[in-house]
Amino acid sequence: MGDPSKKPRMEDDGLVFPPNPYLKKQEKDVLYHLGLATDKDDLPALFGDVKFVCMGGSPTRMKRFAEFIGKRLGLVQKNGSGPKDLCSTDRYSMYKVGSVLSVSHGMGMPSISILLHELIKLMHHAACTDVIFTRMGTCGGLGLAPGTVVITDSAVNEMFQPVYQMIVLGKQVNRPTKLSREVAEEIRAAYEPGAKYDVVIGNTMCTSDFYEGQARIDGAICDHTLEDKIEYLKAAYDAGVRNIEMEGTCLAAMCHKSGIKGAVVCVTLLDRLLGDQVNMTPEEHDEWEQRPQELMAKFISKRLKL
Ligand code: URA
């Protein structure tokens, strides 16, 4: 198969080949945080038909998505029991409904990064083909009405660069953050005009922190001024940023490096140009949180020609 560390293989045959030459030499692979292993679980039988890996921060939200997509696809379990958590650890939760995997990724890049390593390997071991990875989340908006859904065009870091930065062997590594424009357009096309909310495509800024990292002035610590914050957020807006969250660049870079199509779809909980505190009503929160899920469900139904 050539040197998989050089070239992702997705374009060739739809299979996933993680860009790590050492994996081939391993007798078995333990996906520690998922609680799965190649020597004890029949991964092709359990996961071989997966086409859509849908991720979101909270376990409850991803269980709800599994139930929701199950109803949409007509795959509700006959005995009425809800979807079963396939993770045997309590680090993440993972539900499978037909060709959809609904997985919680926790908060922030370190958490989603660990999950993505194991999910990418899972797709490889299970011989899945043509998989799409998406994150459905919440975010702060810039100049948008709260409740607007933003589909990410370019995922950028705090300096507005389309780069995911990490430290490996004590050195800074920069990886490009490329998402699938085609998938983003297809998700937007699933939106039905007349819905109660708008859907826009824009750049998404990904930060390592919710408070100071997102220029908030309501955290426990703040060394910048309100004026600094507004100046920075306006510069972000001028760079095409329409929303701010904490996982997008990591997902974009890891999917791109592994030859997997990725997309990020988030609903804005507030307009960050107007404030910092997230204080919508629980009813609004519940309804808004559903919006990326509804859009993804329509996208998946269309892809499956249902
Ligand atoms: N998630 C974030 O990362 N930021 C917000 O402002 C809201 C949700």
Side-chain angles (χ1 to χ4, degrees):
M1 74 180 187
D3 182 351
S5 65
K6 295 272 162 7
K7 182 172 176 282
R9 286 277 308 269
M10 194 74 181
E11 275 79 19
D12 299 344
D13 44 25
L15 286 162
V16 176
F17 285 85
N20 174 4
Y22 287 96
L23 276 186
K24 265 202 302 187
K25 297 173 191 147
Q26 266 179 220
E27 224 167 78
K28 67 168 186 172
D29 193 14
V30 177
L31 307 177
Y32 170 61
H33 301 85
L34 296 179
L36 297 167
T38 50
D39 62 336
K40 70 173 177 70
D41 300 296
D42 185 349
L43 299 179
L46 288 168
F47 297 101
D49 63 340
V50 169
K51 297 283 179 214
F52 306 96
V53 177
C54 300
M55 286 163 275
S58 101
T60 317
R61 202 194 302 158
M62 297 323 289
K63 185 169 188 203
R64 272 172 65 183
F65 181 66
E67 288 162 351
F68 176 60
I69 194 77
K71 282 193 198 125
R72 272 298 180 97
L73 303 181
L75 293 172
V76 178
Q77 266 149 11
K78 298 251 172 1
N79 60 11
S81 67
K84 186 172 161 285
D85 190 346
L86 301 172
C87 285
S88 65
T89 74
D90 60 1
R91 295 294 181 191
Y92 304 101
S93 286
M94 178 162 70
Y95 304 93
K96 183 174 180 301
V97 183
S99 57
V100 180
L101 213 51
S102 178
V103 198
S104 69
H105 59 58
M107 260 195 288
M109 291 187 270
S111 181
I112 198 172
S113 164
I114 295 165
L115 176 70
L116 284 167
H117 275 284
E118 296 186 12
L119 283 177
I120 292 166
K121 293 197 294 174
L122 176 60
M123 296 298 102
H124 168 67
H125 295 311
C128 297
T129 54
D130 301 319
V131 281
I132 295 173
F133 278 28
T134 58
R135 161 171 144 71
M136 303 174 294
T138 55
C139 61
L142 285 185
L144 298 170
T148 302
V149 173
V150 181
I151 304 170
T152 304
D153 181 7
S154 185
V156 299
N157 65 14
E158 296 93 332
M159 282 86 79
F160 319 139
Q161 299 155 333
V163 171
Y164 169 59
Q165 286 161 327
M166 63 184 306
I167 305 291
V168 182
L169 310 183
K171 297 194 185 80
Q172 187 170 306
V173 174
N174 294 333
R175 298 213 169 116
T177 56
K178 286 216 176 82
L179 292 163
S180 168
R181 181 74 198 194
E182 170 209 336
V183 172
E185 292 288 0
E186 245 183 276
I187 295 172
R188 180 164 58 180
Y191 169 74
E192 281 154 19
K196 277 196 273 178
Y197 55 94
D198 281 334
V199 174
V200 301
I201 294 189
N203 294 347
T204 296
M205 180 163 77
C206 179
T207 67
S208 300
D209 171 53
F210 183 87
Y211 287 98
E212 292 174 277
Q214 296 189 2
R216 280 186 158 80
I217 55 168
D218 66 340
I221 299 168
C222 180
D223 283 336
H224 54 267
T225 64
L226 169 64
E227 292 69 32
D228 295 337
K229 166 191 140 177
I230 296 295
E231 191 187 334
Y232 177 65
L233 293 181
K234 283 191 172 156
Y237 186 91
D238 290 342
V241 173
R242 293 296 173 269
N243 66 334
I244 307 172
E245 47 82 94
M246 295 195 291
E247 292 85 13
T249 51
C250 178
L251 178 137
M254 290 185 72
C255 285
H256 176 61
K257 178 100 180 147
S258 308
I260 293 172
K261 287 180 179 161
V264 180
V265 184
C266 290
V267 65
T268 64
L269 301 182
L270 74 168
D271 183 351
R272 287 299 320 288
L273 292 170
L274 303 179
D276 291 345
Q277 298 253 297
V278 181
N279 58 8
M280 79 291 276
T281 64
E283 292 75 28
E284 279 172 331
H285 187 264
D286 270 10
E287 201 224 306
W288 294 352
E289 218 179 50
Q290 283 276 96
R291 292 176 178 178
Q293 300 196 357
E294 276 166 22
L295 208 53
M296 278 307 299
K298 285 188 184 133
F299 162 77
I300 290 170
S301 303
K302 268 189 161 180
R303 274 244 161 176
L304 295 176
K305 303 201 185 343
L306 294 173

